[in-house]
Amino acid sequence: MKEWWVQVGLLSVPLLAVYLHIPPPKLSPALLSWRSSGGYFNYKDQNIFYRDSTGAVGSSDVVVLLHGFPTSSYDWCKIWEGLTQRFHRVIALDFVGFGFSDKPRPHRYSIFEQASIVEGLVRHLGLRHQRINLLSHDYGDTVAQELLHRSLQPLMLWLLFFLSRPITRLLPCRSELFVSGSGQSSGPTRSLHRQSTGTCGRRCGPMTAISLFLFSILQYINQRKKHRDRWVGALMSTSVPLHLIYGPLDPVNPHPEFLQLYKKVLPMSTVSVLDDHISHYPQLEDPTGFLNAYLNFINSF
């Protein structure tokens, strides 16, 4: 009798072949609408998707939204309208490798590049000399920390940040990965995985190409460890107002350890704690509570 793993392998081959030939799922009407209401700008030959909505009359305030892993700008869909009632401009982008933005292969994805793309979008929109409020989540928190580090330099003093959601992996710099089961961005996320074979796919096979793509994207975890002093130091050194909106059921940043550590490391930051059942995606799980917490912070200045 053959070893069990040989039998499993023989069974897996045809199943994998069938899976790889299944076309990507069609986008939902909501995602199609989200894409059609946005546009693209070019950053070093990469097409980057973004949305830019004009909102409150009489306000000059701008907010830029930075999404997490492994999703897209659609993470902000439930609070978008509420933000437009407070801000003159509400802007969000899909980081390169995510959502409707390009997914180059091979490519060395990095937090530094994503931060430069945000800067590029701000320049593209003519907002370089305007005060920017930044709202970030998960992966986007680290991009925000890099931007905050750069804002300490003379050329970046125009940036003003209001960070919301956990500034993850403070002390120690942990490597856990949590993928939301909400499915809010499952369309573009699954599409980016299924359509990411490219040249490598023809040379070394679709599954290998997908694995290499995901491995490249996930290097942000190692980058967090390597550059911990730079990014945590930026938070500790800044005089910019910081705010945390926290879901106590978050498995990435478990309660109460994370909250205690956050307050110890960043005692100058204010904090909003949502209801006990709110987890890692509070802007989707409790959009009203999240929006109220954020606007209360913004309106306190």
Side-chain angles (χ1 to χ4, degrees):
M1 183 177 178
K2 296 180 179 179
E3 296 289 343
W4 68 268
W5 56 269
V6 175
Q7 297 181 38
V8 171
L10 291 174
L11 179 62
S12 299
V13 169
L15 292 176
L16 179 60
V18 170
Y19 172 78
L20 291 175
H21 285 85
I22 298 175
K26 292 183 178 180
L27 298 180
S28 68
L31 283 171
L32 287 172
S33 175
W34 187 264
R35 184 175 64 181
S36 65
S37 63
Y40 291 84
F41 84 102
N42 189 269
Y43 176 84
K44 294 185 177 180
D45 296 325
Q46 299 165 2
N47 291 315
I48 305 299
F49 175 82
Y50 72 95
R51 291 192 78 203
D52 177 13
S53 294
T54 302
V57 176
S59 172
S60 61
D61 290 347
V62 178
V63 61
V64 175
L65 315 176
L66 305 180
H67 69 82
F69 179 92
T71 50
S72 71
S73 58
Y74 191 65
D75 282 354
W76 307 105
C77 64
K78 290 188 177 182
I79 64 169
W80 193 269
E81 183 178 353
L83 290 173
T84 61
Q85 295 175 14
R86 169 58 178 80
F87 293 94
H88 176 62
R89 299 275 289 276
V90 180
I91 301 163
L93 77 161
D94 290 349
F95 292 125
V96 64
F98 296 80
F100 296 121
S101 291
D102 281 353
K103 302 160 188 69
R105 292 98 42 208
H107 188 75
R108 300 186 70 174
Y109 292 91
S110 75
I111 294 297
F112 299 101
E113 178 188 39
Q114 306 287 21
S116 295
I117 289 173
V118 176
E119 292 176 337
L121 176 59
V122 169
R123 288 192 298 269
H124 173 76
L125 297 175
L127 300 173
R128 186 174 182 180
H129 301 292
Q130 189 158 342
R131 191 179 75 176
I132 304 291
N133 302 294
L134 197 63
L135 179 59
S136 67
H137 172 239
D138 189 81
Y139 180 95
D141 289 341
T142 312
V143 179
Q145 286 171 261
E146 170 56 22
L147 288 167
L148 184 60
H149 175 84
R150 297 181 189 186
S151 76
L152 301 176
Q153 309 304 318
L155 294 179
M156 291 289 293
L157 291 178
W158 50 269
L159 285 175
L160 178 63
F161 295 91
F162 298 97
L163 301 184
S164 192
R165 271 298 295 151
I167 311 302
T168 56
R169 286 81 175 183
L170 287 170
L171 292 172
C173 189
R174 300 175 298 165
S175 61
E176 292 93 329
L177 171 66
F178 176 75
V179 180
S180 171
S182 66
Q184 292 296 325
S185 294
S186 58
T189 302
R190 186 180 175 196
S191 295
L192 73 86
H193 293 170
R194 293 291 304 282
Q195 297 173 357
S196 62
T197 55
T199 303
C200 182
R202 293 191 292 271
R203 185 172 64 249
C204 54
M207 209 61 196
T208 302
I210 293 172
S211 298
L212 290 173
F213 175 72
L214 291 176
F215 176 79
S216 181
I217 287 283
L218 288 169
Q219 286 305 301
Y220 81 91
I221 296 175
N222 292 328
Q223 292 165 21
R224 278 175 166 173
K225 294 179 180 179
K226 182 178 180 180
H227 302 289
R228 175 192 164 278
D229 289 344
R230 175 188 181 96
W231 291 332
V232 176
L235 293 173
M236 298 174 68
S237 302
T238 186
S239 59
V240 168
L242 303 174
H243 189 69
L244 168 72
I245 302 176
Y246 180 63
L249 204 59
D250 187 346
V252 179
N253 305 289
H255 187 270
E257 294 83 4
F258 173 79
L259 199 55
Q260 293 169 349
L261 186 57
Y262 181 90
K263 291 179 177 179
K264 178 180 179 180
V265 175
L266 300 174
M268 69 291 195
S269 173
T270 53
V271 176
S272 295
V273 180
L274 301 179
D275 291 344
D276 289 345
H277 66 281
I278 303 303
S279 182
H280 189 66
Y281 277 77
Q283 72 273 43
L284 294 173
E285 299 170 48
D286 183 13
T288 300
F290 181 93
L291 186 62
N292 287 339
Y294 183 60
L295 294 183
N296 286 338
F297 168 70
I298 290 293
N299 293 332
S300 67
F301 295 93

